Amino acid sequence: MLSPLPELRGSQTPRIRSAPPSSYSLADEVLDLVMLAGRIHIPWQAAATTDIMACRSDGKWAAKEVGLLVARQNGKSAVVENVELGWMVFEPGVQILHTAHEMPAALESMRKLIALFDGHRDLRKLIAPRGIRKRGGEEGITLRNGSRILFRSRTDSAGRSFSGERIVYDEAMIITPESENALSNILTTAKNPQTLYIGSAADIDSMPHCHKWDGLRERGKAGEDPSLLWIEYSCPPDVDESDPQAWAQANPSLGYITTEEFVADQYRSQKDRNLKGFRTERLSIWNGPKRSEGEHAHVINMDAVREAIVDRSLSPRLTDRRALGVARDWRGEVTAVAAAVYTDDGRIFVERGRVAEPNTQADVQFLVSCVDAFDPVAIAIDSGSPADVLTPHLVAKKIEPVRTTTAQMGQACLGLKTGFEEGEIVHLGDKALMDILNVVEKRNIGRTGAWAFEWDCQENIALLVAVTLAVWALVTKGQAQATPPAGAPESLAAADEDDSVTGHLAAVGF
C-alpha cells in the first residue's frame, strides 16, 4: 500500500454509495494480477474495484450498471484499467467497447492499459501477435484468449457494427442522445452484461449533455435500483469551500497523488474569480439539470389521463381493428406487450398484455398466439431497442413486425401524449401504467425538438413504450380490416404474477 505524504489524507469512504447485494468479488484475483505490473493501489481504488467486480451466487455481475463519480486528478482511470484487465484475462473472448467524449481521451486510456500489460512479462505474453492496433479506426487490444477491447470516441455512429458484453463510458458527464442511441444495442445479446460510467461532477451550464449522468446519479442516490452500483466522492452543496476537511471528503487521493498544498493554491486562485468551477471540479458539488420545486412536471397531463379511465361495466364497444406493441428495457428486466383497439365511437382503447421477464422463446410464443387469436393489423417494435432481437424469430414464424425508426418513435410518443390530452385514448387505469406516467420524463431526439420517453426513470417504462407503439401501429396501419377467427378470446390481457389486471379483451392463455 502507498505511504501517504505527511499531510491531510483523502477520505477513503464515499459520501454516497449504493450497491446491489452480492456473494463474492473477483477483485482479489484482479488486484493480485495488477500488482505483478508494479501497481500499488490507494485503498479507495481497491474498494471500488471490489464493488464493481462483485458477483451474485449464480456468477453474474451483481451490478449491471456502475457509476463512479470522483473529482479529476484522483486516479479513477486506474480503477477502469483494473476492471478492463480483469474482464479480458478472466473472461476469455469477452468483447469490450471503451468510449470517451473525444478520441484523444480514449487513446490515453488505451495507452495506460497497454502500459499495465507491459508492466510484467507474464501479462505482456497474454497479448496476441499484432494484437495492438493504434491507428486506422481499429484502435484496440486483442489477447491470445480472444478477448478484445476497442477504443472509440462517442460519435453518432460509434459502435453500430459492434456487439459485445461490456461498455465503458469515460467522461460520462458528456453523453449526447445521438451517441447513446448509437451505442444502445451493443449489449442486446450479452449473457452477462455490464456498463461502466466514469466521470466527475456535472455542470449543466458547461455540459449540456449531462442528462444521462444526472439520471444515473438520481437512481444511485435513491438506492432502490437492484442492478445499479453508485459510488460518489463529493461534498454537499452547503460546504465551506475553504475547509481542508471538505477537500479531503471529495478527493480520496489527497495525500497520495495530490497534495493539500496543490488544492490550497487552486482554491486561492479561484475563490474570487471562479469559485463555482472550484466547487464543481474539485469538490464534486453537483450542478445538474434544474428541477422545478414541488410536483414533478408530467410529460402527459395526468388530469387528462385520469379522465380517460373507463369503467369495465361501462366500457365502449370494441371493433376488430387492433394492433400490438412490444418493448424490452435496456437492463433486461421486462418484456411488455400491449394492445390498442379502436372503439365503435372512434376512440382508441389501450391495455396491457403480457409483462414478464424477457425470454425470447416465451415472448415469441405469446405473440404467435396473439396473432392466431386476434389477427392484429400490425405488431410494432422499435428498431433501435432490445425488443428488436425478437424480429428474426417472428419473421421465421411468418410474422413481419413493423419496425419504427427513431423519427417514428418520436411521432409515436407525441401521438400518445396528444391522444390522451385530446380525449382520443381510453384505458382501465392500470396501476402499473399510471405509476410510469407519473414519473416518466422526456429525452430529446436530435436537434429538431422531437422527443421520446426517457428509459432512465424511477419506474421501468417498458409497458408505456409498448402502449405507445401499439397506438402508433393502430393509427398508421389500422385502416385494414382484421377479423379474428370465430371463437377467438376477447382479450390478450395476461398480467404477470404480481398483478392480476384483466382487460376487456380475455386471456390468450399465458
Side-chain angles (χ1 to χ4, degrees):
M1 185 168 299
L2 289 177
S3 297
L5 298 174
E7 60 170 34
L8 182 66
R9 296 174 60 179
S11 172
Q12 301 302 293
T13 303
R15 187 173 76 89
I16 302 174
R17 176 183 176 274
S18 60
S22 61
S23 298
Y24 62 94
S25 177
L26 299 176
D28 288 345
E29 298 175 26
V30 173
L31 294 173
D32 287 345
L33 194 63
V34 171
M35 286 182 68
L36 287 176
R39 174 172 290 176
I40 302 174
H41 291 93
I42 303 169
W44 80 266
Q45 294 172 326
T49 304
T50 299
D51 277 345
I52 295 170
M53 306 207 76
C55 299
R56 307 182 316 205
S57 58
D58 62 0
K60 299 285 185 68
W61 298 116
K64 293 182 180 178
E65 291 182 289
V66 176
L68 175 60
L69 189 156
V70 190
R72 295 170 59 190
Q73 299 173 319
N74 272 276
K76 58 182 173 287
S77 61
V79 177
V80 181
E81 292 147 28
N82 292 346
V83 173
E84 290 176 339
L85 183 138
W87 286 339
M88 297 182 76
V89 173
F90 295 115
E91 293 184 78
V94 71
Q95 303 294 298
I96 307 163
L97 183 63
H98 180 117
T99 73
H101 175 55
E102 295 181 342
M103 196 60 194
L107 292 176
E108 177 62 13
S109 295
M110 179 179 173
R111 184 192 66 77
K112 291 179 178 179
L113 187 58
I114 292 173
L116 186 57
F117 276 102
D118 280 343
H120 192 276
R121 62 180 182 277
D122 289 343
L123 290 175
R124 193 159 51 246
K125 290 177 181 177
L126 299 176
I127 299 177
R130 296 182 295 280
I132 296 177
R133 300 293 298 272
K134 297 184 178 181
R135 60 181 61 86
E138 298 290 332
E139 293 83 359
I141 306 169
T142 302
L143 301 190
R144 293 177 184 272
N145 66 4
S147 295
R148 180 176 61 147
I149 182 169
L150 301 181
F151 293 84
R152 299 287 185 271
S153 61
R154 286 192 292 272
T155 65
D156 295 359
S157 59
R160 289 197 180 275
S161 61
F162 182 81
S163 177
E165 291 78 42
R166 309 290 141 72
I167 302 179
V168 175
Y169 288 87
D170 196 3
E171 304 173 310
M173 57 281 188
I174 311 173
I175 302 177
T176 67
E178 293 81 7
S179 64
E180 184 183 0
N181 289 340
L183 296 167
S184 60
N185 282 327
I186 286 175
L187 304 183
T188 300
T189 59
K191 292 181 171 56
N192 188 20
Q194 193 171 43
T195 303
L196 181 56
Y197 298 88
I198 307 293
S200 53
D203 176 15
I204 187 63
D205 297 327
S206 60
M207 303 170 188
H209 296 300
C210 66
H211 290 79
K212 176 67 178 180
W213 192 222
D214 183 72
L216 199 72
R217 181 175 186 258
E218 286 299 306
R219 288 165 48 204
K221 286 168 55 183
E224 298 173 352
D225 190 329
S227 66
L228 172 65
L229 166 66
W230 181 261
I231 302 169
E232 175 179 327
Y233 288 86
S234 64
C235 290
D238 58 353
V239 73
D240 177 1
E241 299 90 348
S242 66
D243 184 0
Q245 294 300 324
W247 307 345
Q249 183 179 28
N251 294 271
S253 295
L254 185 66
Y256 293 90
I257 60 177
T258 60
T259 67
E260 182 180 354
E261 181 181 10
F262 171 81
V263 179
D265 289 343
Q266 194 176 39
Y267 171 69
R268 282 191 293 270
S269 69
Q270 292 185 267
K271 66 177 183 177
D272 295 325
R273 61 180 180 82
N274 188 23
L275 184 60
K276 176 187 171 186
F278 181 83
R279 285 168 60 87
T280 301
E281 295 290 342
R282 183 51 54 202
L283 302 184
S284 293
I285 296 174
W286 200 260
N287 182 34
K290 301 298 185 290
R291 292 180 172 80
S292 58
E293 297 295 329
E295 186 177 358
H296 165 72
H298 297 107
V299 175
I300 301 177
N301 185 295
M302 290 304 293
D303 288 336
V305 172
R306 285 186 284 271
E307 290 174 5
I309 297 174
V310 292
D311 185 87
R312 294 179 189 279
S313 61
L314 300 176
S315 61
R317 289 173 56 85
L318 304 179
T319 70
D320 58 3
R321 287 182 295 160
R322 68 198 73 194
L324 306 182
V326 186
R328 272 189 183 180
D329 68 295
W330 295 107
R331 297 194 293 274
E333 296 174 353
V334 171
T335 297
V337 180
V341 189
Y342 274 122
T343 65
D344 59 1
D345 61 1
R347 292 182 292 173
I348 297 173
F349 171 75
V350 297
E351 70 165 345
R352 76 150 78 188
R354 183 175 187 268
V355 178
E357 184 176 349
N359 181 299
T360 297
Q361 183 176 355
D363 294 341
V364 171
Q365 185 179 0
F366 179 78
L367 291 169
V368 169
S369 298
C370 290
V371 171
D372 290 343
F374 307 126
D375 192 18
V377 297
I379 295 176
I381 292 175
D382 179 10
S383 65
S385 77
D388 201 30
V389 72
L390 300 175
T391 296
H393 298 278
L394 292 171
V395 171
K397 299 288 186 181
K398 302 188 184 306
I399 298 171
E400 187 76 39
V402 178
R403 301 169 65 243
T404 60
T405 63
T406 299
Q408 288 170 333
M409 198 65 217
Q411 294 168 2
C413 292
L414 180 59
L416 189 78
K417 173 180 171 65
T418 303
F420 271 118
E421 295 179 353
E422 294 184 358
E424 297 176 352
I425 295 176
V426 294
H427 61 115
L428 290 174
D430 183 314
K431 182 179 183 301
L433 182 60
M434 296 291 286
D435 286 347
I436 296 169
L437 288 169
N438 262 314
V439 299
V440 73
E441 297 183 356
K442 293 179 181 179
R443 62 176 174 85
N444 294 328
I445 300 176
R447 299 176 176 84
T448 64
W451 56 272
F453 294 116
E454 174 59 72
W455 280 96
D456 194 357
C457 177
Q458 298 174 38
E459 298 284 340
N460 191 312
I461 71 165
L463 175 59
L464 174 61
V465 174
V467 168
T468 304
L469 287 165
V471 172
W472 177 85
L474 183 65
V475 170
T476 58
K477 308 294 181 183
Q479 298 305 313
Q481 296 297 317
T483 304
E490 295 179 356
S491 171
L492 63 79
D496 55 31
E497 294 180 356
D498 297 326
D499 197 326
S500 58
V501 173
T502 303
H504 287 278
L505 297 174
V508 173
F510 287 76

